Amino acid sequence: MIIVVKKDCEKKQLDNLTKWIKSLGLRIDLSKGDNSIIMGLIGDTSKVDIDLIRSLDIVDTVKRIQQPYKLANRQFHPEDTIVDVCGHKFGGNNFQLIAGPCSVENEKQIIGIAQAVKASGANILRGGAFKPRTSPYAFQGLKGEGLKLLLKAKAETGMPICTELMAEKYIDMFEDVDIIQIGARNMQNFDLLKAVGKLKKPVLLKRGLANTIEEWLMSAEYIMSEGNDQVILCERGIRTFEPMTRNTLDLSAIPLLRELTHLPIIVDPSHATGLNRLVDPMSLASVGAGADGLIIEVHNDPTHALCDGAQSLRPEQFDALVKKIDVMLPLVNRERK
Ligand code: PEP
Ligand code: MN
């Protein structure tokens, strides 16, 4: 961290700042220029409150040199993390497809869709049992019954399952779930992040609706700092001023994250766009941007879906999309296994 101190500051103020920084266990490299004094802080500055320093009268500017996330940072862990979900790997040169309905609705629906997406090449089944809905009057998911149906679909097809955990109180019900999804609305539910950090289970961490890449990585850090390094990041679009799509897919986040972190990164083009006709092009664009996989909503009867029918692909559309993805994968040095 670098602090630029105003040249005209009083010696006493500078001494106080120096003393305080040293009391935090940091060393200081001081250089006096013509117009300012530059303090280079040496040591672990992750616990230093940058805003507090910025608020001091004698401080002109402050800049972090090191990122505040240590465990998720590629600097300290150059090789890609591989997250293994029942033998299906995320990260490295692997490419994974997670597919299924927005919500589990009934046995026939979830098993039928699972069989269809598996036949097309998806390795992991998605489906919400607990649904975070904007309206309390909208379908909230089948909850425990939905989890049971997902497990039935898993038994029937052999596909691992990915489903959203909305609150810590349900965690015991998720024992047989293979990937725990933390949804966009819970990305900064720090108690929930700490709770899944204590599990030995892959976590799919979706980006918050209005969160920066750094905030997202700090949320991954919450999970990792509790001992769980099996984190997969999922870009699912962010809120912008554009109303024509449900969200705006931030594809530049993928190559940027690739530099910043060793964690696998996948894309959800369904929630990012909200429109099924945009899922195809945005999936292919995600592959091109270097994503490690996709999570796509697929429904056998989108017009009657209890949730997110407008953005769901029909099974045959998903099948056609996978064929296009397969043409692109060799170009980005990825393999779907
Ligand atoms: C979902 O995947 O079902 C979901 C609700 O997504 P998000 O949290 O990204 O809105
Ligand atoms: Mn959905």
Side-chain angles (χ1 to χ4, degrees):
M1 187 179 286
I2 291 190
I3 306 176
V4 180
V5 178
K6 291 172 189 158
K7 178 77 178 166
D8 57 3
C9 75
E10 284 173 25
K11 184 176 177 305
K12 190 163 179 293
Q13 287 177 301
L14 185 63
D15 287 347
N16 283 343
L17 178 60
T18 305
K19 227 161 106 186
W20 177 57
I21 290 166
K22 287 189 175 164
S23 77
L24 298 173
L26 300 165
R27 285 176 292 128
I28 298 172
D29 177 57
L30 196 74
S31 88
K32 292 190 176 171
D34 287 345
N35 301 312
S36 55
I37 300 165
I38 297 171
M39 296 173 112
L41 273 50
I42 305 161
D44 182 5
T45 57
S46 57
K47 291 198 179 82
V48 177
D49 183 346
I50 190 166
D51 294 319
L52 189 59
I53 296 177
R54 195 173 279 134
S55 72
L56 300 174
D57 281 349
I58 63 164
V59 171
D60 196 1
T61 49
V62 193
K63 198 172 163 27
R64 264 195 201 282
I65 305 299
Q66 277 176 334
Q67 289 108 342
Y69 44 90
K70 300 270 175 259
L71 299 169
N73 199 327
R74 197 183 272 284
Q75 252 179 21
F76 310 114
H77 187 298
E79 59 298 336
D80 288 348
T81 280
I82 309 284
V83 177
D84 192 316
V85 182
C86 310
H88 305 300
K89 296 184 173 66
F90 289 81
N93 68 345
N94 304 286
F95 189 87
Q96 289 301 335
L97 288 170
I98 306 175
C102 178
S103 328
V104 181
E105 297 173 8
N106 56 61
E107 183 171 336
K108 192 162 171 262
Q109 175 242 20
I110 191 66
I111 293 180
I113 297 172
Q115 285 166 337
V117 295
K118 185 181 181 188
S120 299
N123 281 335
I124 297 161
L125 176 66
R126 68 148 286 148
F130 293 85
K131 294 304 305 174
R133 304 303 300 277
T134 301
S135 165
Y137 310 117
F139 174 59
Q140 304 285 307
L142 297 181
K143 306 196 169 91
E145 185 53 30
L147 286 177
K148 277 192 203 142
L149 295 179
L150 275 171
L151 291 172
K152 252 192 176 171
K154 176 179 172 177
E156 197 85 18
T157 59
M159 294 174 91
I161 52 175
C162 169
T163 193
E164 178 165 353
L165 172 68
M166 277 175 50
E168 196 180 338
K169 64 181 174 188
Y170 302 125
I171 218 161
D172 292 342
M173 297 165 78
F174 280 62
E175 204 175 322
D176 296 322
V177 169
D178 303 287
I179 303 179
I180 294 190
Q181 176 171 321
I182 298 297
R185 290 152 193 84
N186 270 319
M187 191 205 86
Q188 285 191 314
N189 181 338
F190 302 118
D191 284 343
L192 188 59
L193 298 176
K194 283 195 246 177
V196 296
K198 293 195 174 74
L199 304 177
K200 298 266 158 293
K201 216 184 248 304
V203 175
L204 182 69
L205 179 64
K206 292 192 132 193
R207 182 178 185 175
L209 273 69
N211 284 110
T212 64
I213 288 172
E214 188 166 294
E215 286 165 344
W216 189 10
L217 288 170
M218 289 308 285
S219 290
E221 196 76 11
Y222 260 95
I223 300 170
M224 298 174 86
S225 63
E226 294 293 331
N228 187 355
D229 60 357
Q230 302 288 287
V231 179
I232 303 163
L233 299 169
C234 177
E235 163 61 40
R236 46 78 72 206
I238 47 174
R239 271 281 159 87
T240 67
F241 47 80
E242 180 52 65
M244 286 201 193
T245 47
R246 185 172 179 181
N247 292 287
T248 295
L249 181 56
D250 181 10
L251 278 182
S252 54
I254 298 162
L256 253 175
L257 280 166
R258 187 73 63 214
E259 294 171 7
L260 300 172
T261 183
H262 49 88
L263 297 173
I265 311 140
I266 69 165
V267 173
D268 173 346
S270 311
H271 292 90
T273 62
L275 296 166
N276 82 346
R277 65 180 190 280
L278 296 190
V279 170
D280 240 65
M282 289 302 98
S283 295
L284 299 178
S286 304
V287 175
D292 296 306
L294 290 162
I295 177 165
I296 297 179
E297 286 188 346
V298 178
H299 200 285
N300 52 346
D301 185 8
T303 41
H304 294 105
L306 295 181
C307 188
D308 288 351
Q311 66 195 29
S312 300
L313 296 185
R314 290 192 311 276
E316 62 275 18
Q317 291 177 314
F318 178 69
D319 192 71
L321 171 59
V322 177
K323 291 192 168 70
K324 289 186 223 168
I325 290 171
D326 282 348
V327 174
M328 279 188 77
L329 288 180
L331 296 175
V332 285
N333 190 30
R334 297 289 152 132
E335 249 185 295
R336 200 165 58 71
K337 279 184 266 184

